[in-house]
Amino acid sequence: QVQVEESGGGSVQAGGSLRLSCAASIRAFSAYGVGWFRQAPGKEREFVVTIAWTGGRPNYANSVKGRFTISRDNAKNSVYLQMNGLKPEDTAIYYCAVSRGPWALPTVDSAYWGQGTQVNVSS
């Protein structure tokens, strides 16, 4: 049973920063792609960023490029999301995602999910 757990959400004013953390209980974590997705009220869950098992160049949504940074620590089975320059439109529940199988990336339709952490950005 794979467990994924996020932490670090909260409320900030526009322009502020937050750092989300995620820990996954999965063997050979370093072989799995990971990422972050988010879901705003009344909207579908959407892609934010993914990073491959190689730890190579991440793929960011255009809406967060230049403001958000993903990183992973395979020794700790963890992935992080540093969010700077937050905007009210970043308000959402943020979900950590781990790919369903090794050598793959998580997608909206296929991933192990955490329970989500709320991020609120006020103007």
Side-chain angles (χ1 to χ4, degrees):
Q1 180 92 14
V2 176
Q3 292 185 321
V4 180
E5 185 170 0
E6 307 94 339
S7 61
S11 297
V12 295
Q13 290 189 326
S17 298
L18 283 173
R19 186 174 187 250
L20 306 183
S21 299
C22 169
S25 63
I26 188 169
R27 294 182 64 183
F29 175 79
S30 61
Y32 289 75
V34 294
W36 292 91
F37 294 72
R38 67 186 181 185
Q39 187 167 16
K43 294 188 176 182
E44 299 289 321
R45 189 173 299 189
E46 66 175 11
F47 159 82
V48 175
V49 58
T50 54
I51 186 168
W53 52 97
T54 59
R57 186 174 181 176
N59 183 31
Y60 292 94
N62 288 334
S63 58
V64 306
K65 201 170 294 184
R67 300 187 297 121
F68 290 11
T69 303
I70 190 173
S71 59
R72 63 185 298 163
D73 184 341
N74 291 334
K76 296 182 178 179
N77 278 28
S78 294
V79 59
Y80 309 96
L81 184 65
Q82 178 66 43
M83 305 185 294
N84 298 329
L86 282 161
K87 304 176 181 180
E89 51 263 44
D90 294 318
T91 293
I93 298 173
Y94 282 71
Y95 296 91
C96 179
V98 178
S99 59
R100 280 279 177 174
W103 328 123
L105 291 172
T107 69
V108 169
D109 298 317
S110 179
Y112 292 112
W113 300 101
Q115 80 288 349
T117 186
Q118 180 71 48
V119 172
N120 293 314
V121 185
S122 58
S123 57

